[in-house]
Amino acid sequence: MDPLLLGAIVAVVTILVLFSGVSVALGLLIVSTGFILIFDGMRSLELLPEILFGKLDNFALLSIPMFIIMGSSIASTRAGADLYEALERWLTRVPGGLVISNLGACALFAAMSGSSPATCAAIGKMGIPEMRKRGYPDGVAAGSIAAGGTLGILIPPSVTMIVYGIATETSIGRLFLAGVIPGLLLVVLFMIWSLYSTWQSGDKQLLNAGSYTWKQKFEILPRVLPFLAIIIGVLYAMYGGVATPSETAAVGALLCLLIAMIIYKLWNPKDLWVVLRDSTKESVMILFIIAAAGVFSYMLSSLMITQSIAEWIGTLDVNRWVLMSFVMLFLLVAGFFLPPVAVILMAAPILLPIITAAGFDPIWFAVVLTINMEIGLISPPVGLNLYVINGIAPDISLKTILKGSLPFVACMVIAIILLCFFPGLATWLPDVVMGDAI
């Protein structure tokens, strides 16, 4: 059978299996095993356990559960609420400062937790009721938190970036640095739109928050600064040559647990068990997807599907930006239905040779891919962050939340366009800190 036709059949079958409701990892294993059996026979199954476990035989993978524990220990405390309160108190005199406080808190909490749903939940529980109480439109209140939560997969340390680095054998340190400036750019774009939409409402009360004394401003800082110090320390250890990403993640996880126990009195064994249990569940889920994606990639390669797609695209006489437009459209649609980790593990190994052959930087592509995945987090039909916000504020309809998040989707599209015109936004910082890539 023609490999391109076979590739189309594999794509259709994969979509049908994943839409059947089975987990992503199990679905990939079912599809991979089925096609290997049909085309390579029973004896080829002997290789599957070796491929499955071999994909997990990577020391860098240790950083995934460590960063997840780091995020879970923060998410299980009042750190998000304290972070929100601290920014609110310091930005109270800024026009529209409340919405800026929410987006700033989302950005900082995202950097600490690396999880988009956790960011939405932690900041949204405080931020959405407060904004609605002061008269902010429901769309702005819900949309800003839903969009701010997506920053968790871009601003370092990011589990998604780690997965991309492992899948494509790209430097995780460079990927972390590449997400810094685009992440801050998104925060600025989000803030600009939020302030504009707030001012357009014409309600002057929205621009005036309560006043706080200097004592109230400073008394909240000791509960927030230790976590920020850990983030700075983790990044310094990683880029200062002190430790590897995995070692840094382990120390960061331990320090976050200790701070949660000391500052937030997380001494109860049941509470600690919940943190470790949830972290283990999420880690196993991601690692299982990584292993299953390894088998899926082997199946595509053994059936010559990957090579044939790359050769076919290489024969197309199209402008490289037209090619990139089709790639981004594919990623956007995939992100609507699948979690970011699954899309990256399935698509990155296939797309990377294509985009590098077209002259695109793989580090730059990682950032563009991640922003596409962010759009999927606040877009139907899956739109995980939309449902998290709806769970926090059930009296705000999904339609209102979606309508409020659409302008932020436009901000992400603007960010992608800016990255296309100015790729240095993603590549400059890694080159400055770690030297030019060879």
Side-chain angles (χ1 to χ4, degrees), residues 244-289:
T244 66
S246 299
E247 294 164 346
T248 305
V251 174
L254 177 62
L255 291 177
C256 280
L257 272 174
L258 289 176
I259 289 178
M261 294 170 68
I262 295 170
I263 296 180
Y264 294 99
K265 313 300 182 185
L266 197 70
W267 293 106
N268 192 321
K270 290 184 178 179
D271 295 333
L272 289 173
W273 167 251
V274 169
V275 171
L276 296 177
R277 181 198 65 194
D278 292 347
S279 300
T280 302
K281 281 184 177 180
E282 189 173 349
S283 300
V284 170
M285 176 194 72
I286 293 175
L287 293 173
F288 191 16
I289 293 175

mmCIF file of all heavy atoms in Angstrom, residues 244-289:
data_model
loop_
_atom_site.group_PDB
_atom_site.id
_atom_site.type_symbol
_atom_site.label_atom_id
_atom_site.label_comp_id
_atom_site.label_asym_id
_atom_site.label_seq_id
_atom_site.Cartn_x
_atom_site.Cartn_y
_atom_site.Cartn_z
ATOM 1 N N THR A 244 21.700 20.013 36.800
ATOM 2 C CA THR A 244 20.924 19.665 35.595
ATOM 3 C C THR A 244 19.448 19.997 35.843
ATOM 4 O O THR A 244 19.037 20.193 37.001
ATOM 5 C CB THR A 244 21.052 18.172 35.283
ATOM 6 O OG1 THR A 244 20.431 17.426 36.346
ATOM 7 C CG2 THR A 244 22.510 17.764 35.153
ATOM 8 N N PRO A 245 18.622 20.035 34.782
ATOM 9 C CA PRO A 245 17.188 20.288 34.994
ATOM 10 C C PRO A 245 16.539 19.300 35.963
ATOM 11 O O PRO A 245 15.704 19.695 36.783
ATOM 12 C CB PRO A 245 16.607 20.154 33.583
ATOM 13 C CG PRO A 245 17.724 20.551 32.673
ATOM 14 C CD PRO A 245 18.962 20.036 33.338
ATOM 15 N N SER A 246 16.921 18.035 35.878
ATOM 16 C CA SER A 246 16.319 17.029 36.765
ATOM 17 C C SER A 246 16.707 17.266 38.216
ATOM 18 O O SER A 246 15.868 17.194 39.126
ATOM 19 C CB SER A 246 16.740 15.623 36.332
ATOM 20 O OG SER A 246 16.297 15.352 35.029
ATOM 21 N N GLU A 247 17.990 17.557 38.444
ATOM 22 C CA GLU A 247 18.455 17.826 39.812
ATOM 23 C C GLU A 247 17.814 19.100 40.357
ATOM 24 O O GLU A 247 17.404 19.156 41.520
ATOM 25 C CB GLU A 247 19.976 17.945 39.823
ATOM 26 C CG GLU A 247 20.697 16.647 39.484
ATOM 27 C CD GLU A 247 22.159 16.855 39.131
ATOM 28 O OE1 GLU A 247 22.560 18.008 38.885
ATOM 29 O OE2 GLU A 247 22.902 15.858 39.097
ATOM 30 N N THR A 248 17.725 20.114 39.517
ATOM 31 C CA THR A 248 17.110 21.373 39.925
ATOM 32 C C THR A 248 15.640 21.174 40.268
ATOM 33 O O THR A 248 15.134 21.729 41.253
ATOM 34 C CB THR A 248 17.236 22.418 38.798
ATOM 35 O OG1 THR A 248 18.598 22.554 38.433
ATOM 36 C CG2 THR A 248 16.702 23.758 39.237
ATOM 37 N N ALA A 249 14.941 20.385 39.451
ATOM 38 C CA ALA A 249 13.525 20.123 39.703
ATOM 39 C C ALA A 249 13.328 19.409 41.036
ATOM 40 O O ALA A 249 12.385 19.703 41.772
ATOM 41 C CB ALA A 249 12.948 19.290 38.567
ATOM 42 N N ALA A 250 14.225 18.469 41.353
ATOM 43 C CA ALA A 250 14.111 17.726 42.615
ATOM 44 C C ALA A 250 14.284 18.655 43.812
ATOM 45 O O ALA A 250 13.511 18.596 44.780
ATOM 46 C CB ALA A 250 15.148 16.606 42.647
ATOM 47 N N VAL A 251 15.273 19.534 43.756
ATOM 48 C CA VAL A 251 15.494 20.483 44.852
ATOM 49 C C VAL A 251 14.321 21.457 44.955
ATOM 50 O O VAL A 251 13.844 21.763 46.054
ATOM 51 C CB VAL A 251 16.819 21.252 44.636
ATOM 52 C CG1 VAL A 251 16.982 22.342 45.694
ATOM 53 C CG2 VAL A 251 18.007 20.298 44.676
ATOM 54 N N GLY A 252 13.833 21.936 43.809
ATOM 55 C CA GLY A 252 12.690 22.846 43.814
ATOM 56 C C GLY A 252 11.455 22.201 44.424
ATOM 57 O O GLY A 252 10.719 22.837 45.182
ATOM 58 N N ALA A 253 11.221 20.931 44.090
ATOM 59 C CA ALA A 253 10.063 20.219 44.639
ATOM 60 C C ALA A 253 10.175 20.090 46.154
ATOM 61 O O ALA A 253 9.206 20.310 46.889
ATOM 62 C CB ALA A 253 9.952 18.838 43.995
ATOM 63 N N LEU A 254 11.374 19.753 46.638
ATOM 64 C CA LEU A 254 11.582 19.615 48.081
ATOM 65 C C LEU A 254 11.367 20.944 48.795
ATOM 66 O O LEU A 254 10.689 21.013 49.827
ATOM 67 C CB LEU A 254 12.995 19.087 48.349
ATOM 68 C CG LEU A 254 13.396 18.967 49.824
ATOM 69 C CD1 LEU A 254 12.480 17.980 50.546
ATOM 70 C CD2 LEU A 254 14.853 18.534 49.947
ATOM 71 N N LEU A 255 11.916 22.035 48.227
ATOM 72 C CA LEU A 255 11.785 23.345 48.865
ATOM 73 C C LEU A 255 10.331 23.813 48.877
ATOM 74 O O LEU A 255 9.868 24.388 49.869
ATOM 75 C CB LEU A 255 12.666 24.370 48.140
ATOM 76 C CG LEU A 255 14.178 24.193 48.299
ATOM 77 C CD1 LEU A 255 14.933 25.231 47.476
ATOM 78 C CD2 LEU A 255 14.577 24.299 49.775
ATOM 79 N N CYS A 256 9.617 23.573 47.787
ATOM 80 C CA CYS A 256 8.205 23.968 47.743
ATOM 81 C C CYS A 256 7.380 23.198 48.777
ATOM 82 O O CYS A 256 6.492 23.763 49.429
ATOM 83 C CB CYS A 256 7.631 23.750 46.345
ATOM 84 S SG CYS A 256 8.057 25.050 45.172
ATOM 85 N N LEU A 257 7.681 21.915 48.928
ATOM 86 C CA LEU A 257 6.985 21.128 49.954
ATOM 87 C C LEU A 257 7.293 21.660 51.356
ATOM 88 O O LEU A 257 6.392 21.790 52.198
ATOM 89 C CB LEU A 257 7.407 19.661 49.854
ATOM 90 C CG LEU A 257 6.604 18.780 48.897
ATOM 91 C CD1 LEU A 257 7.242 17.397 48.807
ATOM 92 C CD2 LEU A 257 5.151 18.658 49.337
ATOM 93 N N LEU A 258 8.564 21.989 51.607
ATOM 94 C CA LEU A 258 8.952 22.512 52.921
ATOM 95 C C LEU A 258 8.283 23.851 53.208
ATOM 96 O O LEU A 258 7.789 24.086 54.313
ATOM 97 C CB LEU A 258 10.481 22.656 53.000
ATOM 98 C CG LEU A 258 11.276 21.345 53.066
ATOM 99 C CD1 LEU A 258 12.774 21.634 53.029
ATOM 100 C CD2 LEU A 258 10.919 20.570 54.331
ATOM 101 N N ILE A 259 8.245 24.738 52.199
ATOM 102 C CA ILE A 259 7.608 26.041 52.399
ATOM 103 C C ILE A 259 6.109 25.874 52.628
ATOM 104 O O ILE A 259 5.515 26.554 53.469
ATOM 105 C CB ILE A 259 7.883 26.958 51.189
ATOM 106 C CG1 ILE A 259 9.358 27.377 51.194
ATOM 107 C CG2 ILE A 259 6.994 28.188 51.221
ATOM 108 C CD1 ILE A 259 9.760 28.234 50.027
ATOM 109 N N ALA A 260 5.490 24.955 51.875
ATOM 110 C CA ALA A 260 4.064 24.699 52.077
ATOM 111 C C ALA A 260 3.805 24.193 53.495
ATOM 112 O O ALA A 260 2.792 24.546 54.118
ATOM 113 C CB ALA A 260 3.567 23.686 51.056
ATOM 114 N N MET A 261 4.724 23.399 54.019
ATOM 115 C CA MET A 261 4.559 22.865 55.373
ATOM 116 C C MET A 261 4.822 23.934 56.433
ATOM 117 O O MET A 261 4.112 24.002 57.444
ATOM 118 C CB MET A 261 5.507 21.680 55.577
ATOM 119 C CG MET A 261 5.166 20.474 54.701
ATOM 120 S SD MET A 261 6.447 19.199 54.740
ATOM 121 C CE MET A 261 6.288 18.616 56.422
ATOM 122 N N ILE A 262 5.827 24.799 56.190
ATOM 123 C CA ILE A 262 6.213 25.786 57.206
ATOM 124 C C ILE A 262 5.281 26.995 57.197
ATOM 125 O O ILE A 262 4.755 27.405 58.239
ATOM 126 C CB ILE A 262 7.675 26.223 56.982
ATOM 127 C CG1 ILE A 262 8.623 25.043 57.210
ATOM 128 C CG2 ILE A 262 8.031 27.389 57.911
ATOM 129 C CD1 ILE A 262 10.053 25.313 56.790
ATOM 130 N N ILE A 263 5.063 27.587 56.002
ATOM 131 C CA ILE A 263 4.278 28.816 55.922
ATOM 132 C C ILE A 263 2.780 28.533 55.984
ATOM 133 O O ILE A 263 2.027 29.233 56.651
ATOM 134 C CB ILE A 263 4.618 29.590 54.629
ATOM 135 C CG1 ILE A 263 6.084 30.047 54.660
ATOM 136 C CG2 ILE A 263 3.690 30.790 54.443
ATOM 137 C CD1 ILE A 263 6.510 30.816 53.425
ATOM 138 N N TYR A 264 2.342 27.475 55.284
ATOM 139 C CA TYR A 264 0.904 27.208 55.193
ATOM 140 C C TYR A 264 0.452 26.040 56.066
ATOM 141 O O TYR A 264 -0.681 25.554 55.914
ATOM 142 C CB TYR A 264 0.527 26.951 53.732
ATOM 143 C CG TYR A 264 0.702 28.179 52.870
ATOM 144 C CD1 TYR A 264 1.839 28.344 52.092
ATOM 145 C CD2 TYR A 264 -0.257 29.185 52.860
ATOM 146 C CE1 TYR A 264 2.015 29.481 51.308
ATOM 147 C CE2 TYR A 264 -0.098 30.315 52.077
ATOM 148 C CZ TYR A 264 1.040 30.461 51.309
ATOM 149 O OH TYR A 264 1.217 31.592 50.539
ATOM 150 N N LYS A 265 1.343 25.591 56.966
ATOM 151 C CA LYS A 265 0.983 24.566 57.956
ATOM 152 C C LYS A 265 0.436 23.292 57.319
ATOM 153 O O LYS A 265 -0.524 22.693 57.796
ATOM 154 C CB LYS A 265 -0.049 25.121 58.948
ATOM 155 C CG LYS A 265 0.270 26.488 59.517
ATOM 156 C CD LYS A 265 1.587 26.506 60.281
ATOM 157 C CE LYS A 265 1.854 27.872 60.878
ATOM 158 N NZ LYS A 265 3.194 27.933 61.537
ATOM 159 N N LEU A 266 1.049 22.867 56.232
ATOM 160 C CA LEU A 266 0.608 21.652 55.539
ATOM 161 C C LEU A 266 1.226 20.424 56.215
ATOM 162 O O LEU A 266 1.989 19.668 55.607
ATOM 163 C CB LEU A 266 1.001 21.720 54.057
ATOM 164 C CG LEU A 266 0.297 20.747 53.105
ATOM 165 C CD1 LEU A 266 -1.163 21.151 52.940
ATOM 166 C CD2 LEU A 266 0.981 20.744 51.741
ATOM 167 N N TRP A 267 0.887 20.272 57.505
ATOM 168 C CA TRP A 267 1.480 19.190 58.278
ATOM 169 C C TRP A 267 0.637 17.923 58.259
ATOM 170 O O TRP A 267 1.138 16.836 58.523
ATOM 171 C CB TRP A 267 1.666 19.634 59.738
ATOM 172 C CG TRP A 267 2.678 20.704 59.916
ATOM 173 C CD1 TRP A 267 2.443 22.023 60.183
ATOM 174 C CD2 TRP A 267 4.095 20.566 59.826
ATOM 175 N NE1 TRP A 267 3.628 22.722 60.265
ATOM 176 C CE2 TRP A 267 4.665 21.848 60.056
ATOM 177 C CE3 TRP A 267 4.956 19.493 59.568
ATOM 178 C CZ2 TRP A 267 6.030 22.082 60.044
ATOM 179 C CZ3 TRP A 267 6.319 19.722 59.547
ATOM 180 C CH2 TRP A 267 6.848 20.998 59.783
ATOM 181 N N ASN A 268 -0.632 18.070 58.005
ATOM 182 C CA ASN A 268 -1.538 16.915 58.069
ATOM 183 C C ASN A 268 -1.110 15.854 57.056
ATOM 184 O O ASN A 268 -1.005 16.133 55.869
ATOM 185 C CB ASN A 268 -2.969 17.369 57.767
ATOM 186 C CG ASN A 268 -3.992 16.291 58.106
ATOM 187 O OD1 ASN A 268 -3.751 15.111 57.879
ATOM 188 N ND2 ASN A 268 -5.127 16.708 58.655
ATOM 189 N N PRO A 269 -0.853 14.621 57.533
ATOM 190 C CA PRO A 269 -0.441 13.562 56.592
ATOM 191 C C PRO A 269 -1.429 13.341 55.469
ATOM 192 O O PRO A 269 -1.033 13.007 54.346
ATOM 193 C CB PRO A 269 -0.339 12.318 57.496
ATOM 194 C CG PRO A 269 -0.097 12.860 58.865
ATOM 195 C CD PRO A 269 -0.843 14.154 58.929
ATOM 196 N N LYS A 270 -2.734 13.545 55.739
ATOM 197 C CA LYS A 270 -3.728 13.370 54.686
ATOM 198 C C LYS A 270 -3.543 14.390 53.572
ATOM 199 O O LYS A 270 -3.681 14.072 52.387
ATOM 200 C CB LYS A 270 -5.144 13.488 55.276
ATOM 201 C CG LYS A 270 -5.551 12.320 56.169
ATOM 202 C CD LYS A 270 -6.992 12.459 56.634
ATOM 203 C CE LYS A 270 -7.403 11.264 57.488
ATOM 204 N NZ LYS A 270 -8.808 11.396 57.973
ATOM 205 N N ASP A 271 -3.231 15.637 53.962
ATOM 206 C CA ASP A 271 -3.016 16.681 52.956
ATOM 207 C C ASP A 271 -1.761 16.405 52.133
ATOM 208 O O ASP A 271 -1.748 16.593 50.915
ATOM 209 C CB ASP A 271 -2.905 18.056 53.629
ATOM 210 C CG ASP A 271 -4.204 18.477 54.304
ATOM 211 O OD1 ASP A 271 -5.269 18.022 53.841
ATOM 212 O OD2 ASP A 271 -4.140 19.254 55.276
ATOM 213 N N LEU A 272 -0.709 15.968 52.813
ATOM 214 C CA LEU A 272 0.523 15.630 52.098
ATOM 215 C C LEU A 272 0.295 14.439 51.167
ATOM 216 O O LEU A 272 0.837 14.394 50.049
ATOM 217 C CB LEU A 272 1.641 15.306 53.099
ATOM 218 C CG LEU A 272 2.204 16.491 53.888
ATOM 219 C CD1 LEU A 272 3.179 15.993 54.951
ATOM 220 C CD2 LEU A 272 2.907 17.467 52.960
ATOM 221 N N TRP A 273 -0.505 13.476 51.640
ATOM 222 C CA TRP A 273 -0.811 12.309 50.814
ATOM 223 C C TRP A 273 -1.544 12.731 49.543
ATOM 224 O O TRP A 273 -1.278 12.211 48.465
ATOM 225 C CB TRP A 273 -1.639 11.309 51.604
ATOM 226 C CG TRP A 273 -2.242 10.237 50.752
ATOM 227 C CD1 TRP A 273 -3.561 10.075 50.434
ATOM 228 C CD2 TRP A 273 -1.549 9.179 50.088
ATOM 229 N NE1 TRP A 273 -3.736 8.986 49.622
ATOM 230 C CE2 TRP A 273 -2.516 8.412 49.382
ATOM 231 C CE3 TRP A 273 -0.218 8.802 50.013
ATOM 232 C CZ2 TRP A 273 -2.180 7.308 48.628
ATOM 233 C CZ3 TRP A 273 0.120 7.690 49.253
ATOM 234 C CH2 TRP A 273 -0.845 6.957 48.570
ATOM 235 N N VAL A 274 -2.468 13.686 49.657
ATOM 236 C CA VAL A 274 -3.215 14.163 48.483
ATOM 237 C C VAL A 274 -2.265 14.789 47.464
ATOM 238 O O VAL A 274 -2.373 14.546 46.257
ATOM 239 C CB VAL A 274 -4.295 15.179 48.909
ATOM 240 C CG1 VAL A 274 -4.894 15.875 47.686
ATOM 241 C CG2 VAL A 274 -5.401 14.480 49.697
ATOM 242 N N VAL A 275 -1.307 15.584 47.961
ATOM 243 C CA VAL A 275 -0.329 16.217 47.056
ATOM 244 C C VAL A 275 0.471 15.154 46.307
ATOM 245 O O VAL A 275 0.610 15.205 45.078
ATOM 246 C CB VAL A 275 0.628 17.138 47.847
ATOM 247 C CG1 VAL A 275 1.771 17.622 46.952
ATOM 248 C CG2 VAL A 275 -0.127 18.336 48.406
ATOM 249 N N LEU A 276 0.984 14.169 47.050
ATOM 250 C CA LEU A 276 1.806 13.133 46.427
ATOM 251 C C LEU A 276 0.969 12.214 45.538
ATOM 252 O O LEU A 276 1.418 11.792 44.470
ATOM 253 C CB LEU A 276 2.511 12.323 47.516
ATOM 254 C CG LEU A 276 3.512 13.108 48.374
ATOM 255 C CD1 LEU A 276 4.083 12.219 49.471
ATOM 256 C CD2 LEU A 276 4.643 13.675 47.521
ATOM 257 N N ARG A 277 -0.256 11.916 45.959
ATOM 258 C CA ARG A 277 -1.130 11.053 45.161
ATOM 259 C C ARG A 277 -1.481 11.697 43.825
ATOM 260 O O ARG A 277 -1.356 11.079 42.758
ATOM 261 C CB ARG A 277 -2.412 10.761 45.943
ATOM 262 C CG ARG A 277 -3.396 9.840 45.223
ATOM 263 C CD ARG A 277 -4.783 9.960 45.837
ATOM 264 N NE ARG A 277 -5.339 11.296 45.638
ATOM 265 C CZ ARG A 277 -6.403 11.765 46.303
ATOM 266 N NH1 ARG A 277 -6.996 11.021 47.219
ATOM 267 N NH2 ARG A 277 -6.848 12.982 46.067
ATOM 268 N N ASP A 278 -1.906 12.965 43.883
ATOM 269 C CA ASP A 278 -2.283 13.657 42.648
ATOM 270 C C ASP A 278 -1.077 13.855 41.732
ATOM 271 O O ASP A 278 -1.193 13.745 40.499
ATOM 272 C CB ASP A 278 -2.913 15.011 42.969
ATOM 273 C CG ASP A 278 -4.265 14.876 43.663
ATOM 274 O OD1 ASP A 278 -4.804 13.745 43.667
ATOM 275 O OD2 ASP A 278 -4.767 15.880 44.200
ATOM 276 N N SER A 279 0.079 14.140 42.325
ATOM 277 C CA SER A 279 1.296 14.302 41.520
ATOM 278 C C SER A 279 1.672 12.997 40.835
ATOM 279 O O SER A 279 2.075 12.985 39.661
ATOM 280 C CB SER A 279 2.459 14.774 42.406
ATOM 281 O OG SER A 279 2.172 16.013 43.011
ATOM 282 N N THR A 280 1.535 11.883 41.564
ATOM 283 C CA THR A 280 1.847 10.572 40.990
ATOM 284 C C THR A 280 0.905 10.242 39.845
ATOM 285 O O THR A 280 1.330 9.764 38.784
ATOM 286 C CB THR A 280 1.761 9.483 42.069
ATOM 287 O OG1 THR A 280 2.665 9.796 43.129
ATOM 288 C CG2 THR A 280 2.115 8.123 41.492
ATOM 289 N N LYS A 281 -0.386 10.512 40.032
ATOM 290 C CA LYS A 281 -1.367 10.242 38.972
ATOM 291 C C LYS A 281 -1.027 11.015 37.704
ATOM 292 O O LYS A 281 -1.013 10.461 36.596
ATOM 293 C CB LYS A 281 -2.774 10.632 39.446
ATOM 294 C CG LYS A 281 -3.440 9.633 40.364
ATOM 295 C CD LYS A 281 -4.856 10.095 40.684
ATOM 296 C CE LYS A 281 -5.594 9.080 41.547
ATOM 297 N NZ LYS A 281 -6.972 9.541 41.859
ATOM 298 N N GLU A 282 -0.760 12.312 37.859
ATOM 299 C CA GLU A 282 -0.473 13.138 36.687
ATOM 300 C C GLU A 282 0.835 12.726 36.029
ATOM 301 O O GLU A 282 0.947 12.678 34.804
ATOM 302 C CB GLU A 282 -0.430 14.618 37.090
ATOM 303 C CG GLU A 282 -0.346 15.558 35.897
ATOM 304 C CD GLU A 282 -0.481 17.012 36.283
ATOM 305 O OE1 GLU A 282 -0.841 17.302 37.447
ATOM 306 O OE2 GLU A 282 -0.219 17.871 35.418
ATOM 307 N N SER A 283 1.837 12.404 36.843
ATOM 308 C CA SER A 283 3.137 11.993 36.302
ATOM 309 C C SER A 283 3.018 10.690 35.524
ATOM 310 O O SER A 283 3.548 10.564 34.414
ATOM 311 C CB SER A 283 4.155 11.823 37.441
ATOM 312 O OG SER A 283 4.334 13.025 38.145
ATOM 313 N N VAL A 284 2.312 9.712 36.102
ATOM 314 C CA VAL A 284 2.141 8.421 35.427
ATOM 315 C C VAL A 284 1.384 8.603 34.117
ATOM 316 O O VAL A 284 1.728 7.991 33.093
ATOM 317 C CB VAL A 284 1.411 7.424 36.353
ATOM 318 C CG1 VAL A 284 1.006 6.175 35.578
ATOM 319 C CG2 VAL A 284 2.309 7.051 37.523
ATOM 320 N N MET A 285 0.367 9.469 34.126
ATOM 321 C CA MET A 285 -0.395 9.725 32.908
ATOM 322 C C MET A 285 0.516 10.263 31.802
ATOM 323 O O MET A 285 0.497 9.782 30.661
ATOM 324 C CB MET A 285 -1.516 10.727 33.181
ATOM 325 C CG MET A 285 -2.315 11.122 31.944
ATOM 326 S SD MET A 285 -3.354 12.577 32.216
ATOM 327 C CE MET A 285 -2.103 13.872 32.284
ATOM 328 N N ILE A 286 1.342 11.263 32.141
ATOM 329 C CA ILE A 286 2.229 11.866 31.134
ATOM 330 C C ILE A 286 3.279 10.868 30.663
ATOM 331 O O ILE A 286 3.558 10.742 29.463
ATOM 332 C CB ILE A 286 2.896 13.136 31.714
ATOM 333 C CG1 ILE A 286 1.835 14.223 31.946
ATOM 334 C CG2 ILE A 286 3.986 13.651 30.773
ATOM 335 C CD1 ILE A 286 2.372 15.467 32.619
ATOM 336 N N LEU A 287 3.869 10.128 31.593
ATOM 337 C CA LEU A 287 4.902 9.159 31.231
ATOM 338 C C LEU A 287 4.326 8.021 30.389
ATOM 339 O O LEU A 287 4.986 7.515 29.469
ATOM 340 C CB LEU A 287 5.571 8.612 32.493
ATOM 341 C CG LEU A 287 6.399 9.628 33.291
ATOM 342 C CD1 LEU A 287 6.880 9.021 34.602
ATOM 343 C CD2 LEU A 287 7.590 10.127 32.478
ATOM 344 N N PHE A 288 3.103 7.621 30.689
ATOM 345 C CA PHE A 288 2.436 6.578 29.891
ATOM 346 C C PHE A 288 2.200 7.072 28.462
ATOM 347 O O PHE A 288 2.396 6.338 27.485
ATOM 348 C CB PHE A 288 1.120 6.188 30.564
ATOM 349 C CG PHE A 288 0.473 4.952 29.981
ATOM 350 C CD1 PHE A 288 1.186 4.077 29.172
ATOM 351 C CD2 PHE A 288 -0.850 4.665 30.252
ATOM 352 C CE1 PHE A 288 0.589 2.933 28.636
ATOM 353 C CE2 PHE A 288 -1.463 3.530 29.723
ATOM 354 C CZ PHE A 288 -0.734 2.674 28.907
ATOM 355 N N ILE A 289 1.803 8.346 28.338
ATOM 356 C CA ILE A 289 1.610 8.924 27.002
ATOM 357 C C ILE A 289 2.935 8.976 26.245
ATOM 358 O O ILE A 289 3.000 8.680 25.051
ATOM 359 C CB ILE A 289 0.989 10.332 27.094
ATOM 360 C CG1 ILE A 289 -0.440 10.253 27.627
ATOM 361 C CG2 ILE A 289 0.973 11.011 25.727
ATOM 362 C CD1 ILE A 289 -1.089 11.605 27.861
#
